[in-house]
Amino acid sequence: MLRCEAPVYRPRTLTDAIYARADMPDATVIAGGTDVMVYLESGSLKPTRFLDLWDCSGLRWQQFITGGQFCGAGLTCTDAIRSPQTHPLVREACSTVGAVQIQNRATIGGNICNSSPAGDTLPVWLALDAEFELASMRGRRRVPAASFWKGYKQIDLRPDELLVGVLLPQTTGETHFRKVGTRMAQSISKVIFAGRYRRGVEARLAFGAVGPTPMRCREAEAALVAGRPVDEVVALVEAEITPIDDVRSTADYRRKVAGNIVRRWLASL
Ligand SMILES: Cc1cc2nc3c(=O)[nH]c(=O)nc-3n(C[C@H](O)[C@H](O)[C@H](O)COP(=O)(O)OP(=O)(O)OC[C@H]3O[C@@H](n4cnc5c(N)ncnc54)[C@H](O)[C@@H]3O)c2cc1C
């Protein structure tokens, strides 16, 4: 059985959580705990204390706002799957996380802050031009998803800050999500793709698990908007991503699959 003596502080409101974070920048923030528990079990995490956001009411909601939508960081994948307000791309990504037991605990904020390049929701935030809202005693700031993941497991989050939620602007265009893993459930991604395309206007081709951070293929996006041939767009995708060989797959396989996903999606349009 997993034992840990570190004390747990469990705020009930967002204000309390922000105060607590300022007092305890050393604490390990825990939301659903599905990543944190794995680190604890493996011994890679040595917590001094925990700031547990699970009961923090101000984080677990979503609503439409002027010009878009706000999704609280404490929304679980199950919340997102069940809510009629959820953007289809977000729902699809949340549906592929782990299995039902994991989805019941895993939060979107945890997926974003854990910042695994293989996090299933991450390319979705890039494809939707999301901004992340971060709060501390000093105030709030918004960081575009495109600049939040700074390097492998490095994020633009200061020690006294919490991720409060995600702002999704109103967007247009066809969208597509695809996760390639070994199985349908409980499978860590080999390649994840989220795309959005409005012919002649804008394109987002966002990938996960093909580099140290989730990424957009900006040259391929520009070629697509300019009406360049699909072969050229696919070649740019394959050139822009930086996959590696690891226990789950090879770089060659990932590159080929990434290109195929884009080719098939564009053909279907
Ligand atoms: C069996 C299993 C299967 C899984 N399958 C998948 C999968 O298919 N796809 C996938 O993407 N992931 C998968 N995961 C990983 C995990 O479930 C997800 O990353 C999940 O979204 C994490 O959310 P959480 O709320 O549990 O995060 P936690 O474990 O609570 O936290 C994760 C990290 O984020 C930080 N954090 C959390 N919330 C905040 C906040 N509001 N502000 C600041 N920091 C915060 C924590 O400090 C921690 O560093 C799996 C995990 C397990 C155990």
Side-chain angles (χ1 to χ4, degrees):
M1 195 172 71
L2 186 57
R3 286 189 65 83
C4 177
E5 303 299 333
V8 180
Y9 183 73
R10 191 171 283 162
R12 297 295 175 111
T13 67
L14 183 53
T15 309
D16 280 354
I18 292 168
Y19 273 94
R21 190 59 177 150
D23 275 352
M24 305 191 285
D26 60 297
T28 299
V29 174
I30 185 166
T34 59
D35 281 314
V36 169
M37 288 300 158
V38 173
Y39 302 141
L40 212 50
E41 173 80 36
S42 69
S44 62
L45 174 69
K46 307 276 183 218
T48 51
R49 44 191 172 168
F50 289 102
L51 179 58
D52 179 354
L53 303 179
W54 184 253
D55 290 331
C56 192
S57 55
L59 290 174
R60 201 166 168 182
W61 56 280
Q62 62 177 331
Q63 84 177 35
F64 292 107
I65 53 174
T66 313
Q69 187 176 2
F70 182 85
C71 311
L75 275 185
T76 65
C77 290
T78 300
D79 294 335
I81 293 164
R82 289 187 179 159
S83 167
Q85 293 185 343
T86 303
H87 190 289
L89 273 187
V90 178
R91 182 177 295 112
E92 276 194 78
C94 287
S95 308
T96 69
V97 171
V100 170
Q101 297 90 331
I102 295 293
Q103 290 166 6
N104 287 343
R105 290 287 305 190
T107 63
I108 60 170
N111 205 245
I112 292 165
C113 292
N114 186 54
S115 71
S116 159
D120 284 335
T121 70
L122 309 195
V124 166
W125 311 121
L126 291 176
L128 296 178
D129 291 346
E131 288 190 326
F132 300 145
E133 185 153 308
L134 311 173
S136 71
M137 294 279 283
R138 291 172 289 112
R140 293 194 178 214
R141 66 184 178 110
R142 290 181 184 173
V143 178
S147 54
F148 185 72
W149 297 287
K150 301 173 96 58
Y152 179 71
K153 292 253 175 188
Q154 288 178 334
I155 55 177
D156 185 357
L157 182 79
R158 296 170 190 151
D160 63 342
E161 286 180 325
L162 294 172
L163 173 66
V164 174
V166 181
L167 283 129
L168 296 178
Q170 251 163 17
T171 47
T172 55
E174 302 285 341
T175 59
H176 184 61
F177 177 82
R178 183 84 165 89
K179 167 175 176 171
V180 177
T182 307
R183 300 172 295 275
M184 291 296 285
Q186 301 287 29
S187 166
I188 299 178
S189 296
K190 297 177 181 189
V191 177
I192 325 154
F193 172 76
R196 184 165 62 81
Y197 177 44
R198 191 163 162 218
R199 193 177 296 274
V201 179
E202 61 176 349
R204 298 287 181 272
L205 302 173
F207 285 93
V210 296
T213 63
M215 61 173 292
R216 278 174 54 188
C217 295
R218 290 177 188 263
E219 287 181 34
E221 289 172 358
L224 183 55
V225 174
R228 305 298 304 160
V230 169
D231 280 348
E232 196 178 308
V233 174
V234 168
L236 285 168
V237 165
E238 291 174 355
E240 283 185 77
I241 61 175
T242 55
I244 55 166
D245 293 338
D246 65 16
V247 287
R248 283 191 288 281
S249 190
T250 64
D252 280 351
Y253 176 85
R254 289 180 157 119
R255 195 168 271 115
K256 190 79 197 154
V257 166
N260 286 346
I261 291 171
V262 171
R263 186 186 300 284
R264 284 184 194 160
W265 178 43
L266 296 180
S268 76
L269 295 174

